Amino acid sequence: MELNAALQAAVWWSAILLLKLATFGPIVGFTRTKRKVVANEEDAKFKGGATVSTSDPVVERSRRAHLNDMENIIPFIGLIFVYAISGAGDAGCVTLVSQIFTAARFIHTIVYLGQVRQPARALAFFTGLLCNVYMAVKVLLHLY
């Protein structure tokens, strides 16, 4: 099946973002293993010497970064497809919005995990949020 250029761009960039999202579970797991911290008693028994804790600051930082990605990437994927399918944005616009959003999410992760001082993380977050709001408004105006 041949996809139009806008939809093809939406699929490609969504795949990149889903891959980013899928890698975070193992990153959180690796962080737990490295810190010898587990969230459940049965895991502590399985991994001798591990401590049960849901408050390790390093593990929680990586977990919160993953949660933030889920809260932002999932709506973006829905919006980018609606934006592309509705005709509110052509292939160039779909690609540009996707590139900006993807860069913002990678920057957000780097500054979050690297504990870079604010406002770096906030700027990356709001850049991604602005992409989502832009697409939603464009679709609504286009279809009105």
Side-chain angles (χ1 to χ4, degrees):
M1 177 172 99
E2 185 84 19
L3 298 177
N4 71 40
L7 198 51
Q8 189 173 7
V11 169
W12 198 87
W13 286 101
S14 293
I16 296 293
L17 289 165
L18 287 169
L19 185 60
K20 178 188 188 308
L21 199 55
T23 61
F24 241 116
I27 288 171
V28 173
F30 175 77
T31 305
R32 285 187 185 283
T33 300
K34 183 177 171 187
R35 306 266 310 162
K36 296 183 180 170
V37 174
V38 295
N40 304 300
E41 283 291 331
E42 63 273 16
D43 298 332
K45 292 175 185 171
F46 179 71
K47 295 181 179 183
T51 305
V52 177
S53 175
T54 57
S55 61
D56 181 87
V58 176
V59 172
E60 285 305 299
R61 180 168 284 274
S62 64
R63 200 182 60 71
R64 284 191 312 269
H66 185 210
L67 179 61
N68 193 280
D69 262 357
M70 287 188 284
E71 292 168 348
N72 289 276
I73 290 173
I74 293 168
F76 173 83
I77 290 171
L79 284 166
I80 198 68
F81 279 100
V82 170
Y83 184 63
I85 292 166
S86 71
D90 62 15
C93 290
V94 170
T95 300
L96 181 61
V97 171
S98 296
Q99 289 171 335
I100 292 168
F101 182 86
T102 302
R105 292 314 307 167
F106 274 92
I107 291 167
H108 183 273
T109 298
I110 291 165
V111 299
Y112 202 125
L113 294 180
Q115 299 183 30
V116 176
R117 290 182 8 192
Q118 288 285 24
R121 189 172 83 235
L123 289 171
F125 171 80
F126 284 113
T127 299
L129 181 62
L130 185 61
C131 290
N132 282 344
V133 170
Y134 169 79
M135 288 187 297
V137 169
K138 286 289 284 186
V139 167
L140 293 172
L141 291 175
H142 179 73
L143 297 177
Y144 180 68

